[in-house]
């Protein structure tokens, strides 16, 4: 999946005159990525109904933060905000699990930053996810890949999750 890169919330709030309220973040998010995610989940609905027999994995660049990361305890890392991002909330409501956060439940100890691994960029966030659902699947290892000996080749880190299938 690749959801819209607009609005670029990670740019807003760098100076006081650019700052958005929490409600403004949510309003703008719902105009693009919120609508896109609802459309995708509507299309996936038949597959989500059969995860008792066939597991599903949904992964990609969601260009949105996670309600599991933007909590009161992490406001210092998020310009003073805790935000219940609608995309990750919609995935949870649909019964999908965030594989990285499931295995690394503490966003302070393991932030799992995927954007941007470029060290000079002032703001960083986890916007790339691997979600899954099914009774026959279990996430057993998940990591962020953000190092390369010659320099990281992307403005996004990779996420890798190993699953165990139970038959």
């Amino acid at each position: 999946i690749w959801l819209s890169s607009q609005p670029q919330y990670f740019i807003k709030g760098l100076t006081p005159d650019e700052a958005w309220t929490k409600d403004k973040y949510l309003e703008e998010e719902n105009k693009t990525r919120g609508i896109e995610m609802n459309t995708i989940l509507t299309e996936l609905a038949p597959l989500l109904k059969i995860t008792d027999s066939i597991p599903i994995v949904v992964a990609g660049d969601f260009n949105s933060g996670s309600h599991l990361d933007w909590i009161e305890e992490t406001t210092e890392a998020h310009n003073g905000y805790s935000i219940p991002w609608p995309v990750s909330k919609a995935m949870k409501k649909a019964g999908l699990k965030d594989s990285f956060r499931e295995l690394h439940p503490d966003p302070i100890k393991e932030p799992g930053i995927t954007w941007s691994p470029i060290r000079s960029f002032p703001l960083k966030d986890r916007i790339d996810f691997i979600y899954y659902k099914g009774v026959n699947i279990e996430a057993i290892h998940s990591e962020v890949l953000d190092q390369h000996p010659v320099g990281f080749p992307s403005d996004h880190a990779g996420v890798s999750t190993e699953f165990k299938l139970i038959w």
Side-chain angles (χ1 to χ4, degrees):
I1 285 181
W2 179 84
L3 298 182
S4 176
S5 60
Q6 299 300 317
Q8 293 189 350
Y9 68 84
F10 40 82
I11 301 298
K12 301 297 178 196
L14 293 178
T15 64
D17 61 318
E18 293 178 329
W20 284 359
T21 65
K22 183 180 196 172
D23 289 341
K24 180 68 172 174
Y25 276 114
L26 293 173
E27 175 188 336
E28 294 299 319
E29 178 81 358
N30 277 315
K31 288 179 183 177
T32 56
R33 293 180 284 264
I35 291 170
E36 292 168 347
M37 194 72 258
N38 288 334
T39 300
I40 290 167
L41 287 171
T42 298
E43 294 293 321
L44 289 176
L47 299 173
L48 293 170
K49 289 179 183 174
I50 61 171
T51 57
D52 284 351
S53 58
I54 301 172
I56 186 170
V57 175
V58 180
D61 175 1
F62 288 72
N63 275 312
S64 180
S66 171
H67 73 285
L68 300 172
D69 298 348
W70 286 62
I71 57 176
E72 288 300 322
E73 295 82 3
T74 62
T75 56
E76 188 175 313
H78 300 120
N79 284 353
Y81 292 97
S82 67
I83 297 179
W85 292 108
V87 168
S88 64
K89 299 269 301 190
M91 296 298 278
K92 180 180 179 179
K93 184 177 178 182
L96 290 138
K97 297 177 188 178
D98 175 341
S99 64
F100 181 85
R101 191 54 66 219
E102 179 183 31
L103 295 171
H104 305 281
D106 188 336
I108 295 171
K109 288 182 184 174
E110 281 287 341
I113 302 301
T114 62
W115 192 92
S116 169
I118 299 169
R119 303 292 178 239
S120 62
F121 197 81
L123 295 176
K124 300 183 184 313
D125 200 3
R126 187 170 73 99
I127 64 172
D128 302 275
F129 304 96
I130 300 173
Y131 289 98
Y132 75 101
K133 181 180 180 183
V135 297
N136 300 329
I137 187 171
E138 175 185 350
I140 59 173
H141 179 77
S142 189
E143 65 183 312
V144 172
L145 309 168
D146 64 355
Q147 301 291 319
H148 189 277
V150 183
F152 200 73
S154 175
D155 65 339
H156 288 253
V159 180
S160 174
T161 297
E162 181 180 346
F163 293 100
K164 176 181 177 184
L165 295 176
I166 307 158
W167 299 108

